[in-house]
Amino acid sequence: MTTTEIVNKFATVDAAFAVSSADLAEAISRVGSTAQDVGVSLDQLVGLVTAAQQTTARGGSVIGNSFKTIFTRIHRTDTLDQLEQMGIKVRDLQGNALPAVPYRDWE
């Protein structure tokens, strides 16, 4: 993905929702590498940040730090074990952690 494509995504979201490109950039700069580590795509992350900002009216830095904390903790063994005890499927058949944000093909 090129820088131009990323800027275009941000501008599109900025125009359609109550989130600024600056807030998106700030959030993604704080959580981007952690999100990538847990299998969250850029499009998914932009959607999560947009939804969080529209719902909470918090800034990009707060949202980015919050998702970084969530993504860091969600794949810990003790967290996965607790979620499984509650009946939530968090591992595949090989025992690997499922993605933090499951991909859904809407087409």
Side-chain angles (χ1 to χ4, degrees), residues 93-105:
L93 295 176
Q94 290 76 35
N96 302 313
L98 295 172
V101 178
Y103 174 75
R104 173 76 188 234
D105 186 2

Side-chain angles (χ1 to χ4, degrees), residues 41 43-44 47 101-107:
S41 72
D43 287 343
Q44 290 172 320
V101 178
Y103 174 75
R104 173 76 188 234
D105 186 2
W106 295 101
E107 298 180 63

Side-chain angles (χ1 to χ4, degrees), residues 48-103:
L48 289 169
V49 170
T50 300
Q53 184 152 25
Q54 290 225 147
T55 302
T56 67
R58 296 292 185 129
S61 60
V62 171
I63 292 169
N65 287 337
S66 298
F67 278 120
K68 183 175 182 176
T69 299
I70 292 166
F71 293 152
T72 299
R73 294 179 182 173
I74 197 73
H75 276 190
R76 290 182 181 168
T77 302
D78 61 326
T79 303
L80 295 173
D81 291 343
Q82 289 174 13
L83 290 168
E84 284 181 331
Q85 288 173 4
M86 295 176 5
I88 300 169
K89 182 178 176 182
V90 293
R91 292 186 174 102
D92 64 17
L93 295 176
Q94 290 76 35
N96 302 313
L98 295 172
V101 178
Y103 174 75

